[in-house]
Amino acid sequence: NLALQSEAFNVTWTPSTANVSANVVANPINGATTADKLYDDNTVTTQHRIDQAITGRVVGTTYTFSVYAKAAERSNIMLRGPSDAMYAFFNLSNGLATPVGGASAEMTQVGSSGWWRCSVIIVGAASTNVRINLCSDSVGTFSYSGDGVSGVYIWGAQLVKANWAGEYTPTTTTTVNINSPPNMVIMEQNFCP
């Protein structure tokens, strides 16, 4: 996992006309109160987001950026990996993912409390940042006027050099190797005389 502070969006992540309240609701994996709320400020007609600079990003390499998200007052987000032109919108109410610019995207429901794991697969380009944008209720609109309180719940960010999200592996101040996809089985066959 190349994304640092994967469960602490008020550390290492840089807000832009947005705010983060830490540890406000139960996370979707073990139920501990470690999920954060990302919410907009009251700036008009702008993006409300958080970014993290990724070191060692390689142009032309496939990356998957994922985060667990749950609707609060807002129900749409946009995720962008280290590529300006490839990203995806996610509707946390109906489970619809909309990729843009040749990206791929998927949503997996986690439990029954409204959490989704949202993943976007991109090819690394000029940008060195991963980004989580709040969106207005209109799909595809990530520049809007905020009200200072509305947002979504987020937890468990992960960036991997692969075309799959992989098993979530938390980070703090250093990157961490992750396991292969859970459905990947490696078989060995021995032939005897």
Side-chain angles (χ1 to χ4, degrees):
N1 187 354
L2 301 173
L4 302 181
Q5 301 294 348
S6 63
E7 298 175 15
F9 295 94
N10 60 332
V11 180
T12 301
W13 297 82
T14 303
S16 179
T17 58
N19 301 289
V20 174
S21 290
N23 304 326
V24 295
V25 295
N27 77 58
I29 301 302
N30 62 21
T33 306
T34 56
D36 296 350
K37 183 177 182 183
L38 172 64
Y39 60 100
D40 52 41
D41 70 4
N42 56 10
T43 305
V44 298
T45 318
T46 190
Q47 294 186 38
H48 306 274
R49 67 180 198 248
I50 54 174
D51 293 79
Q52 183 179 135
I54 302 298
T55 57
R57 179 264 313 146
V58 179
V59 173
T61 296
T62 299
Y63 290 90
T64 300
F65 179 47
S66 62
V67 69
Y68 294 87
K70 178 179 177 177
E73 299 83 8
R74 302 212 180 276
S75 57
N76 291 278
I77 61 170
M78 184 272 279
L79 298 183
R80 192 194 80 187
S83 170
D84 288 330
M86 301 176 77
Y87 50 91
F89 296 97
F90 299 88
N91 187 312
L92 305 174
S93 294
N94 63 18
L96 179 64
T98 306
V100 175
S104 299
E106 68 177 19
M107 296 179 74
T108 305
Q109 197 164 23
V110 182
S112 59
S113 61
W115 283 97
W116 296 87
R117 190 177 191 193
C118 304
S119 302
V120 60
I121 302 168
I122 62 94
V123 176
S127 175
T128 59
N129 291 352
V130 292
R131 175 175 294 169
I132 304 170
N133 270 79
L134 291 166
C135 298
S136 73
D137 289 336
S138 300
V139 173
T141 304
F142 54 82
S143 182
Y144 68 93
S145 298
D147 62 15
V149 296
S150 295
V152 300
Y153 301 112
I154 54 175
W155 184 81
Q158 182 155 290
L159 179 69
V160 294
K161 283 184 186 180
N163 62 352
W164 39 265
E167 181 181 335
Y168 171 63
T169 305
T171 62
T172 53
T173 58
T174 59
T175 61
V176 177
N177 289 331
I178 65 167
N179 295 326
S180 297
N183 295 331
M184 182 178 284
V185 177
I186 299 173
M187 301 182 70
E188 180 178 316
Q189 186 172 11
N190 293 318
F191 294 95
C192 298

